């Protein structure tokens, strides 16, 4: 008991030191492991120690209740009395025939003896001196009467089970190593009583041994101490694993929130989690993705609004300057003589540039104020077929390969705006292609069968990765006389139709444009 309390004291001191180190190493605000370990340890120690004391006391009292003083000696005495009674019965026959050993079956019957045998042990062998049996079959050998082993005592006995019941053999060792055996039948109840007493004696001795080793040797307290140590270690490791599975995702979430607060939406929380913690992590990542998407859209919208404001002002300034210039040119042209060819040629050059500026002003104006979408049922294949002859007449000679899906249904689109967007894209492919090269135009149903796809593919000069990232930005162009508004207007038209546009390209290999409309 004292040793048990000493070990409990050591366990408590060790756990206290562990808690101290755990608190020192845990950052402020992240002490979940300390709390969980404390709870687990208390849940183990508070019920285990009193329960161990109670069980040990009950066990000790139970064992002592069964180990009544004097029971063992009484059982041993009972066995000795039972054995002595059987042996005295056999010795009674032997002592009444000490002289001539000429007893026959009638003598056996008088003493209620089944058989007797007498022999001398000599030089490792057996010399038969005589035997008799009341059995109907003659005895062929006296070996069946000889016990498997003969003890060192002068008198001994053993019980054998035969086909017709139980028999007790009593032997007596006389002078000159002469051994006499007497066998007689016994009541099975006597054998059963002897066996029960023997089993009781074995159990009693086992309890005594258990008491000596477990209770008096304080082995029970050692086992209780070992159990408490193992449970404490299990509690520590369980609390550590559980706290780690909770605190690690929370710390990652806290770090992710700090990045979000700083405006960095590119970092997600990548941590293994399960159950509610996983739902929390997934919700945070979804929120971050949604915020990033919303911010990107807002930035694009602000940038586009700024470009439109610039385009509106530029268009206004160009028109304000063009109006007096055109009036002045008209007056000069009216007052000039027809014979001044140089002056007329200069005026025509100025007029051409004025018309070019007028077109630029119109592009700025269209970019700054896109008309409202008027969606009606239209055939996309028909729009493409009408555009091809116009483009062939105004562009360099290239070949067009049309792969138009005849099974396409009519879709809700603004015919004029889609026509303008497709015209712009095909014109760009023509400008990027060499004379005589092929441009493939293909329409088909989307894989989910919920939309229509238009693919324009050329084998022209292609674009680098850096250029490809900027092609939709207003006023970005790789053409010498371009304003960089064409693809911006195209994307605006597609987005107004709730569609998607994707452009892939590689330098020297060509460009692929894919439009998806619902």
């Amino acid at each position: 008991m004292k040793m048990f309390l000493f070990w409990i004291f050591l366990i408590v001191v060790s756990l206290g030191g562990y808690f101290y180190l755990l608190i020192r190493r845990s950052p402020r605000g992240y002490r979940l492991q300390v709390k969980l370990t404390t709870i687990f340890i208390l849940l183990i120690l508070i019920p285990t120690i009193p329960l161990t004391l109670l069980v040990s006391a009950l066990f000790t009292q139970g064992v002592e209740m069964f180990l009544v003083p004097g029971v063992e000696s009484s059982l041993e005495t009972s066995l000795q009395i039972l054995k002595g009674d059987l042996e005295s019965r056999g010795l009674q026959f032997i002592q009444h025939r000490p002289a001539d050993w000429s007893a026959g079956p009638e003598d056996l019957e008088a003493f209620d003896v089944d058989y007797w045998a007498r022999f001398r042990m000599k030089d490792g062998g057996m010399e038969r001196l005589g035997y008799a049996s009341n059995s109907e079959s003659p005895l062929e050998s006296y070996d069946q009467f000889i016990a498997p082993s003969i003890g060192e005592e002068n008198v001994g006995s053993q019980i054998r089970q035969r086909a017709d019941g139980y028999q007790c053999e009593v032997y007596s060792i006389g002078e000159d190593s002469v051994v006499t055996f007497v066998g007689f039948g016994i009541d099975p109840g006597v054998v059963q009583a002897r066996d029960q007493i023997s089993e009781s004696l074995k159990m009693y001795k086992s309890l005594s041994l258990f008491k000596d080793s477990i209770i008096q040797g304080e082995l029970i307290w050692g086992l209780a101490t070992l159990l408490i140590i193992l449970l404490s270690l299990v509690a520590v490791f369980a609390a550590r694993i559980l706290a780690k599975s909770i605190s690690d995702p929370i710390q990652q979430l806290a770090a992710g929130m700090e990045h979000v607060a700083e405006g960095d939406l590119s970092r997600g929380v990548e941590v293994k989690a399960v159950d509610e913690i996983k739902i929390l992590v997934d919700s945070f990542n979804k929120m971050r993705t949604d915020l990033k998407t919303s911010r990107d859209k807002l930035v694009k919208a602000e940038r586009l609004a700024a470009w439109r404001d610039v385009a509106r002002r530029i268009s206004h300034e160009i028109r304000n300057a063009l109006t007096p210039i055109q009036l002045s040119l008209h007056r000069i042209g009216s007052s000039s003589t027809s014979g001044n060819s140089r002056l007329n040629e200069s005026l025509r050059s100025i007029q051409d540039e004025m018309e070019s500026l007028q077109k630029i002003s119109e592009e700025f104006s269209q970019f700054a104020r896109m008309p409202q979408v008027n969606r009606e049922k239209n055939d996309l294949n028909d729009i493409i077929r009408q555009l091809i002859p116009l483009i062939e007449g105004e562009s360099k000679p290239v070949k067009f390969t049309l792969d138009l899906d005849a099974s396409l249904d009519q879709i809700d689109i603004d015919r004029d705006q889609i026509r303008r967007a497709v015209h712009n894209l095909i014109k760009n492919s023509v400008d990027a292609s060499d004379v005589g090269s092929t441009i493939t135009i293909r329409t088909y149903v989307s894989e989910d069968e919920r939309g229509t796809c238009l693919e324009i593919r050329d084998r022209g000069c292609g674009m680098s990765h850096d250029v490809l990232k900027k092609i939709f930005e207003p006023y970005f162009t790789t053409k010498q006389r371009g304003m960089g508004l064409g693809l911006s207007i195209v994307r605006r038209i597609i987005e107004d139709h709730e569609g998607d546009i994707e452009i892939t390209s590689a330098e020297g290999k060509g460009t692929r444009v894919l439009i998806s409309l619902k």
Side-chain angles (χ1 to χ4, degrees):
M1 181 69 176
K2 294 181 180 179
M3 185 61 66
F4 174 73
L5 295 177
F6 174 74
W7 277 105
I8 294 298
F9 174 75
L10 289 181
I11 293 173
V12 172
V13 172
S14 301
L15 290 175
Y18 174 75
F19 283 133
Y20 175 75
L21 294 177
L22 198 60
I23 294 174
R24 289 289 301 273
R25 294 179 180 179
S26 301
R28 185 176 298 275
Y30 296 98
R31 293 179 178 176
L32 179 62
Q33 183 177 350
V34 178
K35 297 177 182 178
L36 288 177
T37 305
T38 303
I39 293 174
F40 285 9
I41 291 297
L42 291 178
L43 288 176
I44 287 176
L45 294 183
I46 290 178
T48 302
I49 294 177
L51 184 62
T52 301
L53 295 174
L54 177 62
V55 171
S56 300
L58 293 176
F59 187 77
T60 302
Q61 292 177 2
V63 172
E64 291 179 349
M65 182 178 64
F66 282 106
L67 295 177
V68 179
V71 173
E72 182 177 3
S73 60
S74 299
L75 293 174
E76 290 178 347
T77 302
S78 299
L79 285 177
Q80 292 296 330
I81 292 174
L82 183 61
K83 181 181 179 182
D85 183 65
L86 293 175
E87 291 178 352
S88 64
R89 181 179 170 184
L91 290 176
Q92 185 179 5
F93 174 82
I94 296 173
Q95 291 172 358
H96 278 77
R97 294 291 181 181
D100 53 4
W101 294 103
S102 60
E106 64 279 3
D107 296 311
L108 299 179
E109 185 176 356
F111 284 89
D112 195 17
V113 174
D114 294 333
Y115 58 85
W116 70 269
R118 184 169 178 245
F119 64 92
R120 180 184 289 112
M121 294 182 295
K122 183 178 181 180
D123 299 331
M126 300 178 187
E127 179 184 358
R128 184 172 60 181
L129 301 178
Y131 64 87
S133 174
N134 59 8
S135 176
E136 295 181 358
S137 59
L139 296 177
E140 298 179 356
S141 174
Y142 60 87
D143 296 344
Q144 59 178 311
F145 303 130
I146 300 175
S149 61
I150 298 176
E152 296 180 355
E153 299 85 359
N154 291 331
V155 178
S157 63
Q158 64 179 358
I159 296 176
R160 290 188 179 187
Q161 184 177 4
R162 301 187 183 276
D164 55 351
Y166 292 94
Q167 286 185 330
C168 178
E169 290 182 348
V170 179
Y171 69 87
S172 174
I173 303 176
E175 297 179 355
D176 298 331
S177 299
V178 175
V179 180
T180 304
F181 268 93
V182 177
F184 50 89
I186 58 176
D187 187 359
V190 176
V191 179
Q192 184 178 3
R194 185 205 64 169
D195 294 339
Q196 290 178 351
I197 295 174
S198 298
E199 290 297 326
S200 300
L201 184 60
K202 288 181 181 179
M203 291 180 60
Y204 192 90
K205 289 183 176 180
S206 299
L207 286 175
S208 299
L209 179 62
F210 185 82
K211 177 182 178 181
D212 294 339
S213 59
I214 301 298
I215 299 177
Q216 294 181 354
E218 296 190 352
L219 182 59
I220 187 172
W221 301 112
L223 294 175
T225 303
L226 180 61
L227 177 62
I228 293 175
I229 293 175
L230 292 177
L231 291 177
S232 300
L233 292 176
V234 170
V236 169
F237 283 105
R240 182 176 182 181
I241 294 173
L242 182 59
K244 189 175 181 63
S245 65
I246 297 175
S247 61
D248 284 358
I250 292 177
Q251 292 180 16
Q252 294 291 335
L253 281 174
M257 290 178 182
E258 291 180 359
H259 292 306
V260 171
E262 295 173 356
D264 184 6
L265 300 177
S266 61
R267 301 182 184 180
V269 177
E270 300 293 338
V271 64
K272 292 182 179 180
V274 294
D275 301 329
E276 290 81 358
I277 301 297
K278 185 177 187 302
I279 295 175
L280 181 62
V281 173
D282 293 340
S283 300
F284 174 80
N285 287 331
K286 185 178 183 301
M287 179 200 69
R288 180 196 61 82
T289 303
D290 293 341
L291 284 175
K292 186 175 184 299
T293 302
S294 300
R295 187 182 69 174
D296 293 342
K297 290 182 178 179
L298 181 61
V299 171
K300 291 180 181 178
E302 292 177 349
R303 185 181 300 172
L304 187 60
W307 283 116
R308 286 176 181 171
D309 184 63
V310 173
R312 188 182 298 110
R313 294 183 182 183
I314 293 176
S315 176
H316 179 72
E317 295 297 331
I318 291 177
R319 287 181 178 180
N320 288 341
L322 286 179
T323 300
I325 294 175
Q326 287 177 338
L327 290 175
S328 299
L329 287 175
H330 181 69
R331 292 173 183 173
I332 294 174
S334 299
S335 62
S336 63
T337 59
S338 58
N340 195 342
S341 59
R342 295 185 62 185
L343 178 58
N344 291 333
E345 183 178 354
S346 298
L347 291 176
R348 283 195 298 272
S349 298
I350 295 174
Q351 187 64 35
D352 292 340
E353 294 298 329
M354 293 293 295
E355 291 177 358
S356 177
L357 288 175
Q358 186 68 31
K359 291 181 180 180
I360 293 174
S361 176
E362 291 176 357
E363 288 188 11
F364 278 124
S365 178
Q366 290 177 357
F367 176 70
R369 182 177 57 85
M370 293 291 294
Q372 294 294 324
V373 176
N374 183 20
R375 303 179 71 169
E376 296 178 350
K377 292 290 184 180
N378 283 278
D379 188 347
L380 181 61
N381 292 339
D382 184 60
I383 295 174
I384 296 173
R385 292 191 188 98
Q386 292 180 7
L387 276 175
I388 296 303
L390 297 177
I391 297 175
E392 288 178 335
E394 66 183 23
S395 304
K396 67 177 70 171
V398 295
K399 297 178 182 179
F400 289 96
T401 299
L402 301 183
D403 182 12
L404 308 180
D405 189 349
S407 64
L408 289 181
D409 297 329
Q410 291 188 347
I411 56 178
D412 292 326
I413 56 175
D414 187 315
R415 185 181 182 89
D416 293 335
Q417 291 195 27
I418 292 297
R419 184 177 184 278
R420 181 181 180 187
V422 175
H423 181 278
N424 193 310
L425 293 172
I426 297 176
K427 191 68 169 58
N428 286 344
S429 295
V430 172
D431 293 340
S433 301
D434 296 330
V435 175
S437 62
T438 301
I439 297 176
T440 302
I441 302 175
R442 176 174 170 245
T443 59
Y444 57 92
V445 179
S446 61
E447 293 182 357
D448 58 4
E449 298 184 354
R450 298 176 59 184
T452 300
C453 296
L454 168 62
E455 180 182 351
I456 304 173
R457 186 187 296 270
D458 64 65
R459 297 177 178 83
C461 59
M463 293 176 286
S464 65
H465 180 69
D466 294 335
V467 172
L468 195 62
K469 292 191 299 184
K470 302 178 182 179
I471 56 175
F472 289 116
E473 294 183 4
Y475 307 115
F476 176 79
T477 180
T478 58
K479 300 178 181 179
Q480 294 181 355
R481 298 181 61 85
M483 295 301 301
L485 298 176
L487 288 178
S488 298
I489 295 174
V490 168
R491 185 171 68 171
R492 172 66 186 276
I493 292 173
I494 300 302
E495 290 178 349
D496 288 344
H497 283 77
E498 299 178 356
D500 296 316
I501 180 171
E502 178 184 353
I503 299 180
T504 56
S505 183
E507 288 185 291
K509 295 182 179 180
T511 302
R512 173 181 175 268
V513 180
L514 178 62
I515 296 176
S516 300
L517 298 172
K518 296 182 179 179

